[in-house]
Amino acid sequence: MTVTATVRSARPGWVTDAKLASWTRWVSAPATGGEPLTAVAPYDGRPTGPVPSCTSDDVAATVAVARRAQREWATLSFDARAQVVYRFHDLLVARQDEVLDLIQWEMGKGRFHAWQEILQVGNLARHYAKHGAAYLADHKVRAAIPVATSAREVRVPKGVVGIISPWNYPLYLGVGDTIPAMLAGNAVIGKADPQTPLTLLWTRALMAEAGLPEHVWQVVAGPGAAIGEAVVDNVDFVMFTGSTATGRIVAQRAAGRLIGASLELGGKNPLVVRADADLEAAARGTVMAAFANTGQMCIHIERVIVHADVYDDFRACLVAATSAQRLGAVYDYSVDIGSLASQAQLDKVAAHVADAVAKGATVLAGGRARPDLGPCFFEPTVLEGVTEDMELCLGETFGPVVALYRAADDEDALRIANQGTAGLSASVFSKDIAAADAIARRIRAGSVNINDGAALAAGSIEAGMGGMGSSGLGRRHGGEGMRKYTDSQTIVASKIGPLGPNARQTLDQFVKLGNGQLRLMRKLRVR
């Protein structure tokens, strides 16, 4: 691997104590307040900055304030709400270097992968500000009695939405879901992950500059489990992104309150290389999808399934592309891959690789921690010979590691791709788009990319994104990504008074008339 000199101190020079204070003031309602939390910067292992910690009582108080703010916010026209989001978009693009530094400082990813969060949030902001009114528009339907009555379905805000977002994409996942929820007329309670709270708080301050009323979007911070539970226990809808194990807990807790939940959970995502694939392109796509964000991405590729006829040639291409990756801890675009986010992530990745090697897997590239670069670096790694008795086979590694599998034919590739219970994302590389499409429809995954590793589906923001099986419930992006933050309400109206027998009809006469209507409608094939 090519390495680049690391930073001496991870803290960006422009981040002063005064700057930190200007962001941490946006932690809501630290009235009772727990002990401040301080994360560790993965580049150098030093503390970042203390962030006020909320208690469960603080969360409840924050939601109460949000309810009052939501009622006023919902009375604004959609265009008025959209103008706030447009201004936020422009500020984000203009001042992106600030938040790129914060994302790298808190999370350790390479700068290009941090910039992808800017791209995604900017696109989502513009899309929902422009098309959100259409997504929420009233829908006229045929009423019980045509002409004499009318019916329409309307969308009303849930009220207060709780968004529990993880550390791996603190801007995209923390803000990309907040924008459609707010535009739909809700107030939002965002839970900042303890590893990356400053990124979310910086963004909240920027939204204030864009003109968002203070209590429409509030951020709570503190210990993950306790504060997360308090959010679920007080809001009207939950958007959670994280592990499958925690997602089950969130779903059970939400179900106990009879509130909705949208869950994007873990994956063990496959990439299929057909015999006719462009192998150089497939290797390049695999590297981008497997090692982006240092592999800490729910949709990243962990399993590569290659047709036996091209397996050896593809393996050589992939090993070469992997070995060419540049690693380092720098605040510029001179490296491809940054650090893992924490010692816990490093330990998990190292344990998966060690377990696989101990049970007979072969390391083709990488396979080592790199403490010379920083405390949490691990080389991008390619393994072969992975078997089902290894934790890495179907357990989510969530790091820069892929396993190669040999498939006899397309049917065998499908069998391997559909192993396990996860079903988040997948990819198929083939020169025959029609054949790849036929395979894609048989892969159990919420999104399937053809001739791309993962970014194409994620970037197609007019289409829903989410999982099947143990990878979650619901979708973000597109119309469903906004409408899920609303309830459907049916409003009907009559020009002829109450439906039923009039004063001059007996019940027998009304029933006879109704039966005649049923027969006539069947004959005319109406409804």
Coordinates of all heavy atoms in Angstrom, one line a residue, residues 147-214:
V147 N -70.0 12.4 -8.2 CA -70.7 13.7 -8.4 C -71.3 14.2 -7.2 O -71.0 15.3 -6.7 CB -71.7 13.6 -9.6 CG1 -72.3 15.0 -9.7 CG2 -71.2 13.1 -10.9
A148 N -72.1 13.4 -6.5 CA -72.8 13.9 -5.3 C -71.8 13.9 -4.1 O -72.1 14.7 -3.1 CB -74.0 13.0 -5.0
T149 N -70.8 13.1 -4.1 CA -69.8 13.2 -3.0 C -68.4 13.2 -3.6 O -68.1 12.9 -4.7 CB -69.9 11.9 -2.1 OG1 -69.6 10.7 -2.9 CG2 -71.3 11.7 -1.5
S150 N -67.5 13.7 -2.7 CA -66.1 13.8 -3.1 C -65.2 13.1 -2.0 O -65.6 13.0 -0.9 CB -65.6 15.2 -3.3 OG -65.7 15.9 -2.1
A151 N -64.0 12.7 -2.4 CA -63.1 12.1 -1.5 C -61.6 12.4 -1.9 O -61.3 12.4 -3.1 CB -63.2 10.6 -1.4
R152 N -60.8 12.7 -0.9 CA -59.4 12.9 -1.2 C -58.6 12.4 0.0 O -59.0 12.4 1.2 CB -59.1 14.4 -1.5 CG -59.5 15.3 -0.4 CD -59.5 16.8 -0.9 NE -60.2 17.6 0.0 CZ -59.5 18.6 0.8 NH1 -58.2 18.7 0.6 NH2 -60.2 19.3 1.6
E153 N -57.4 12.0 -0.3 CA -56.4 11.6 0.7 C -55.4 12.7 0.9 O -54.9 13.2 -0.1 CB -55.7 10.3 0.3 CG -56.5 9.1 0.3 CD -55.8 7.9 -0.2 OE1 -54.7 8.0 -0.9 OE2 -56.2 6.7 0.1
V154 N -55.2 13.2 2.1 CA -54.2 14.3 2.3 C -53.1 13.7 3.3 O -53.3 12.7 3.9 CB -54.9 15.5 3.0 CG1 -56.0 16.0 2.1 CG2 -55.4 15.2 4.4
R155 N -52.0 14.4 3.3 CA -50.9 14.0 4.2 C -50.8 15.0 5.3 O -50.8 16.2 5.1 CB -49.6 14.0 3.4 CG -49.6 13.3 2.1 CD -50.0 11.8 2.1 NE -49.2 11.0 3.0 CZ -49.3 9.7 3.1 NH1 -50.0 9.1 2.2 NH2 -48.5 9.1 4.0
V156 N -50.7 14.5 6.5 CA -50.6 15.4 7.7 C -49.3 15.0 8.4 O -48.9 13.8 8.5 CB -51.8 15.3 8.6 CG1 -53.0 15.9 7.9 CG2 -52.0 13.9 9.1
P157 N -48.6 15.9 9.0 CA -47.3 15.6 9.7 C -47.5 14.6 10.8 O -48.5 14.7 11.5 CB -46.8 16.9 10.2 CG -47.5 18.0 9.4 CD -48.8 17.4 9.1
K158 N -46.5 13.8 11.1 CA -46.5 12.9 12.2 C -46.6 13.7 13.5 O -47.2 13.3 14.5 CB -45.3 12.0 12.2 CG -45.4 10.9 11.2 CD -46.3 9.8 11.5 CE -46.2 8.6 10.5 NZ -47.1 7.5 10.9
G159 N -45.8 14.8 13.6 CA -45.7 15.6 14.8 C -44.2 15.9 15.1 O -43.6 16.8 14.6
V160 N -43.7 15.0 15.9 CA -42.2 15.1 16.3 C -41.6 13.8 15.9 O -42.0 12.7 16.3 CB -42.0 15.3 17.8 CG1 -40.5 15.3 18.1 CG2 -42.7 16.6 18.3
V161 N -40.6 13.9 15.0 CA -39.9 12.8 14.5 C -38.5 12.7 15.2 O -37.8 13.7 15.3 CB -39.6 12.9 13.0 CG1 -38.7 11.9 12.4 CG2 -41.0 12.9 12.2
G162 N -38.2 11.5 15.6 CA -36.9 11.2 16.2 C -36.0 10.5 15.2 O -36.3 9.6 14.5
I163 N -34.8 11.1 15.0 CA -33.8 10.5 14.0 C -32.6 10.1 14.8 O -31.9 11.0 15.4 CB -33.5 11.5 12.9 CG1 -34.8 11.8 12.1 CG2 -32.3 11.0 12.0 CD1 -34.6 12.8 11.0
I164 N -32.3 8.8 14.8 CA -31.2 8.3 15.5 C -30.2 7.9 14.5 O -30.4 6.9 13.8 CB -31.6 7.1 16.4 CG1 -32.6 7.5 17.4 CG2 -30.4 6.5 17.1 CD1 -33.2 6.4 18.3
S165 N -29.1 8.6 14.3 CA -28.2 8.4 13.2 C -26.8 8.0 13.8 O -26.4 8.3 14.9 CB -28.0 9.7 12.4 OG -27.6 10.8 13.2
P166 N -26.1 7.2 13.0 CA -24.8 6.6 13.4 C -23.6 7.5 13.1 O -23.7 8.6 12.5 CB -24.7 5.3 12.6 CG -25.4 5.7 11.3 CD -26.5 6.7 11.6
W167 N -22.4 7.0 13.5 CA -21.2 7.8 13.3 C -20.6 7.7 11.9 O -19.8 8.5 11.6 CB -20.1 7.3 14.3 CG -20.0 5.8 14.4 CD1 -20.7 5.0 15.3 CD2 -19.3 4.9 13.5 NE1 -20.3 3.7 15.0 CE2 -19.5 3.6 13.9 CE3 -18.5 5.2 12.4 CZ2 -18.9 2.5 13.3 CZ3 -17.9 4.1 11.8 CH2 -18.1 2.8 12.2
N168 N -21.0 6.7 11.1 CA -20.2 6.5 9.9 C -20.5 7.5 8.8 O -19.6 7.8 8.0 CB -20.4 5.0 9.4 CG -21.9 4.7 9.1 OD1 -22.8 5.2 9.8 ND2 -22.1 4.0 8.0
Y169 N -21.7 8.1 8.8 CA -22.0 9.2 7.9 C -22.8 10.2 8.7 O -24.0 10.4 8.6 CB -22.9 8.7 6.7 CG -22.1 8.0 5.7 CD1 -21.9 6.6 5.7 CD2 -21.5 8.7 4.6 CE1 -21.1 6.0 4.7 CE2 -20.8 8.1 3.6 CZ -20.6 6.8 3.7 OH -19.8 6.1 2.7
P170 N -22.0 11.0 9.5 CA -22.7 11.9 10.5 C -23.4 13.0 9.8 O -24.4 13.5 10.4 CB -21.5 12.4 11.3 CG -20.3 12.2 10.5 CD -20.6 11.0 9.7
L171 N -23.0 13.5 8.7 CA -23.7 14.5 8.0 C -24.9 14.0 7.1 O -26.0 14.4 7.3 CB -22.8 15.3 7.0 CG -23.4 16.5 6.3 CD1 -23.8 17.6 7.2 CD2 -22.4 17.0 5.2
Y172 N -24.6 13.0 6.3 CA -25.6 12.5 5.4 C -26.7 11.8 6.1 O -27.9 12.1 5.9 CB -24.9 11.5 4.4 CG -25.9 10.5 3.7 CD1 -27.1 11.0 3.1 CD2 -25.6 9.2 3.6 CE1 -27.9 10.1 2.5 CE2 -26.4 8.3 2.9 CZ -27.6 8.8 2.4 OH -28.5 7.9 1.8
L173 N -26.4 10.9 7.1 CA -27.5 10.2 7.8 C -28.1 11.0 8.9 O -29.3 10.8 9.2 CB -26.9 8.9 8.4 CG -26.4 7.9 7.3 CD1 -25.9 6.7 8.0 CD2 -27.6 7.5 6.3
G174 N -27.4 12.0 9.4 CA -28.0 12.9 10.4 C -28.9 14.0 9.9 O -29.8 14.4 10.5
V175 N -28.5 14.4 8.6 CA -29.2 15.6 8.0 C -30.1 15.2 6.8 O -31.2 15.7 6.6 CB -28.2 16.7 7.6 CG1 -28.9 17.9 7.1 CG2 -27.3 17.0 8.8
G176 N -29.6 14.1 6.1 CA -30.4 13.7 4.9 C -31.8 13.2 5.2 O -32.7 13.3 4.4
D177 N -32.0 12.7 6.4 CA -33.3 12.3 6.8 C -34.1 13.4 7.5 O -35.3 13.5 7.5 CB -33.3 11.1 7.8 CG -32.8 9.8 7.1 OD1 -33.3 9.6 6.0 OD2 -32.0 9.1 7.7
T178 N -33.4 14.3 8.2 CA -34.0 15.5 8.8 C -34.7 16.4 7.8 O -35.8 16.9 8.1 CB -32.9 16.2 9.6 OG1 -32.4 15.4 10.7 CG2 -33.5 17.5 10.2
I179 N -34.1 16.6 6.7 CA -34.6 17.6 5.7 C -36.0 17.2 5.3 O -37.0 18.0 5.3 CB -33.6 17.8 4.5 CG1 -32.4 18.6 5.0 CG2 -34.3 18.4 3.4 CD1 -31.3 18.7 4.0
P180 N -36.3 16.0 4.7 CA -37.7 15.6 4.3 C -38.6 15.6 5.5 O -39.8 16.0 5.3 CB -37.5 14.3 3.7 CG -36.3 13.7 4.2 CD -35.3 14.9 4.4
A181 N -38.2 15.2 6.7 CA -39.1 15.2 7.8 C -39.5 16.6 8.2 O -40.7 16.9 8.5 CB -38.4 14.6 9.1
M182 N -38.6 17.6 8.2 CA -39.0 19.0 8.5 C -39.8 19.6 7.4 O -40.8 20.3 7.6 CB -37.7 19.8 8.7 CG -36.9 19.5 9.9 SD -35.7 20.8 10.4 CE -34.8 20.9 8.8
L183 N -39.5 19.3 6.1 CA -40.2 19.9 5.0 C -41.7 19.4 5.0 O -42.6 20.0 4.6 CB -39.6 19.6 3.7 CG -38.3 20.4 3.3 CD1 -37.7 19.9 2.1 CD2 -38.7 21.9 3.1
A184 N -41.9 18.1 5.6 CA -43.2 17.6 5.7 C -44.0 18.2 6.8 O -45.2 17.9 7.0 CB -43.1 16.1 5.8
G185 N -43.4 19.1 7.5 CA -44.1 19.9 8.6 C -43.9 19.4 10.0 O -44.6 19.8 10.9
N186 N -42.9 18.5 10.2 CA -42.6 18.0 11.5 C -41.5 18.8 12.2 O -40.7 19.4 11.5 CB -42.1 16.5 11.4 CG -43.1 15.6 10.8 OD1 -44.1 15.2 11.4 ND2 -42.9 15.2 9.5
A187 N -41.5 18.7 13.5 CA -40.3 19.0 14.3 C -39.5 17.8 14.4 O -40.0 16.6 14.3 CB -40.7 19.5 15.6
V188 N -38.1 17.9 14.6 CA -37.2 16.8 14.6 C -36.4 16.8 15.8 O -35.8 17.9 16.2 CB -36.3 16.8 13.3 CG1 -35.2 15.7 13.4 CG2 -37.2 16.5 12.1
I189 N -36.2 15.7 16.5 CA -35.2 15.5 17.5 C -34.1 14.6 16.9 O -34.4 13.4 16.6 CB -35.8 14.8 18.8 CG1 -37.1 15.6 19.2 CG2 -34.8 14.7 19.9 CD1 -36.8 17.0 19.7
G190 N -32.9 15.1 16.8 CA -31.8 14.4 16.3 C -30.9 13.9 17.4 O -30.5 14.7 18.2
K191 N -30.6 12.6 17.4 CA -29.7 12.1 18.4 C -28.3 12.0 17.8 O -28.1 11.3 16.9 CB -30.1 10.7 18.9 CG -29.2 10.2 20.0 CD -29.4 8.7 20.2 CE -28.2 8.1 21.0 NZ -26.9 8.2 20.2
A192 N -27.4 12.8 18.4 CA -26.0 12.8 17.9 C -25.3 11.6 18.4 O -25.4 11.2 19.6 CB -25.3 14.1 18.3
D193 N -24.6 10.9 17.5 CA -23.8 9.7 18.0 C -22.6 10.3 18.8 O -22.0 11.3 18.5 CB -23.2 9.0 16.8 CG -22.6 7.7 17.2 OD1 -21.4 7.7 17.6 OD2 -23.3 6.6 17.2
P194 N -22.3 9.6 19.9 CA -21.2 10.0 20.8 C -19.8 10.2 20.1 O -19.0 10.9 20.6 CB -21.1 9.0 21.9 CG -22.5 8.4 21.9 CD -23.0 8.4 20.5
Q195 N -19.6 9.4 19.0 CA -18.3 9.5 18.3 C -18.3 10.8 17.4 O -17.2 11.4 17.2 CB -18.1 8.3 17.4 CG -16.8 8.3 16.6 CD -15.6 8.2 17.4 OE1 -15.6 7.6 18.5 NE2 -14.5 8.9 17.0
T196 N -19.4 11.3 16.9 CA -19.4 12.4 15.9 C -20.4 13.5 16.2 O -21.1 13.9 15.3 CB -19.6 11.8 14.5 OG1 -20.9 11.0 14.6 CG2 -18.5 10.9 14.0
P197 N -20.5 14.0 17.4 CA -21.5 14.9 17.7 C -21.2 16.3 17.1 O -22.2 17.1 16.8 CB -21.5 15.0 19.3 CG -20.1 14.6 19.7 CD -19.7 13.6 18.7
L198 N -20.0 16.7 17.0 CA -19.6 18.0 16.5 C -20.1 18.3 15.1 O -20.5 19.4 14.8 CB -18.1 18.3 16.7 CG -17.6 18.2 18.1 CD1 -16.1 18.4 18.1 CD2 -18.3 19.2 19.0
T199 N -20.0 17.3 14.3 CA -20.5 17.4 12.9 C -21.9 17.8 12.8 O -22.4 18.7 12.1 CB -20.2 16.1 12.1 OG1 -18.8 15.9 12.0 CG2 -20.8 16.2 10.7
L200 N -22.8 17.1 13.6 CA -24.2 17.3 13.6 C -24.5 18.7 14.2 O -25.4 19.4 13.7 CB -24.9 16.2 14.4 CG -26.4 16.2 14.2 CD1 -26.8 15.9 12.7 CD2 -27.1 15.1 15.0
L201 N -23.8 19.1 15.3 CA -24.0 20.4 15.9 C -23.6 21.5 15.0 O -24.2 22.6 15.0 CB -23.3 20.4 17.3 CG -23.9 19.5 18.3 CD1 -22.9 19.3 19.5 CD2 -25.2 19.9 18.8
W202 N -22.5 21.4 14.3 CA -22.1 22.4 13.3 C -23.2 22.6 12.3 O -23.5 23.7 11.9 CB -20.8 21.9 12.6 CG -20.3 22.9 11.5 CD1 -19.4 23.9 11.7 CD2 -20.7 22.9 10.2 NE1 -19.2 24.5 10.5 CE2 -20.0 23.9 9.5 CE3 -21.5 22.1 9.4 CZ2 -20.1 24.2 8.2 CZ3 -21.7 22.4 8.0 CH2 -20.9 23.4 7.4
T203 N -23.7 21.5 11.8 CA -24.8 21.5 10.8 C -26.0 22.2 11.4 O -26.7 23.0 10.7 CB -25.1 20.1 10.3 OG1 -23.9 19.4 10.0 CG2 -26.0 20.2 9.1
R204 N -26.4 21.9 12.6 CA -27.5 22.6 13.3 C -27.3 24.1 13.3 O -28.3 24.9 13.1 CB -27.8 22.0 14.7 CG -28.9 22.7 15.4 CD -30.2 22.5 14.6 NE -31.3 23.3 15.2 CZ -31.6 24.5 14.8 NH1 -30.9 25.2 13.9 NH2 -32.7 25.1 15.3
A205 N -26.1 24.5 13.7 CA -25.8 25.9 13.7 C -26.0 26.6 12.3 O -26.5 27.7 12.1 CB -24.4 26.2 14.2
L206 N -25.5 25.8 11.3 CA -25.7 26.3 9.9 C -27.1 26.4 9.5 O -27.5 27.4 8.8 CB -24.9 25.4 8.9 CG -24.6 26.0 7.6 CD1 -23.5 27.0 7.7 CD2 -24.2 24.9 6.6
M207 N -27.9 25.5 9.9 CA -29.4 25.6 9.6 C -30.0 26.8 10.3 O -30.9 27.4 9.8 CB -30.1 24.3 10.1 CG -31.5 24.1 9.5 SD -31.6 23.8 7.8 CE -31.3 22.0 7.7
A208 N -29.5 27.1 11.5 CA -30.0 28.3 12.1 C -29.7 29.6 11.3 O -30.5 30.5 11.2 CB -29.4 28.5 13.5
E209 N -28.5 29.6 10.7 CA -28.1 30.7 9.9 C -29.0 30.8 8.6 O -29.3 31.9 8.1 CB -26.7 30.6 9.4 CG -25.6 30.8 10.5 CD -24.2 30.8 9.9 OE1 -24.0 31.4 8.8 OE2 -23.3 30.3 10.5
A210 N -29.5 29.6 8.2 CA -30.4 29.6 7.1 C -31.8 30.0 7.4 O -32.7 30.2 6.5 CB -30.4 28.2 6.5
G211 N -32.1 30.2 8.7 CA -33.4 30.8 9.1 C -34.3 29.8 9.8 O -35.5 30.1 10.0
L212 N -33.9 28.6 10.1 CA -34.7 27.6 10.7 C -35.1 28.1 12.2 O -34.2 28.4 12.9 CB -34.1 26.2 10.8 CG -35.0 25.1 11.3 CD1 -36.1 24.7 10.3 CD2 -34.1 23.9 11.7
P213 N -36.3 28.1 12.6 CA -36.7 28.4 13.9 C -36.0 27.5 14.9 O -35.8 26.3 14.7 CB -38.2 28.2 14.0 CG -38.7 28.4 12.5 CD -37.5 27.9 11.7
E214 N -35.7 28.0 16.1 CA -34.8 27.3 17.0 C -35.2 26.0 17.4 O -34.4 25.0 17.5 CB -34.6 28.2 18.3 CG -33.6 27.6 19.2 CD -33.2 28.5 20.4 OE1 -33.8 29.7 20.4 OE2 -32.4 28.1 21.2

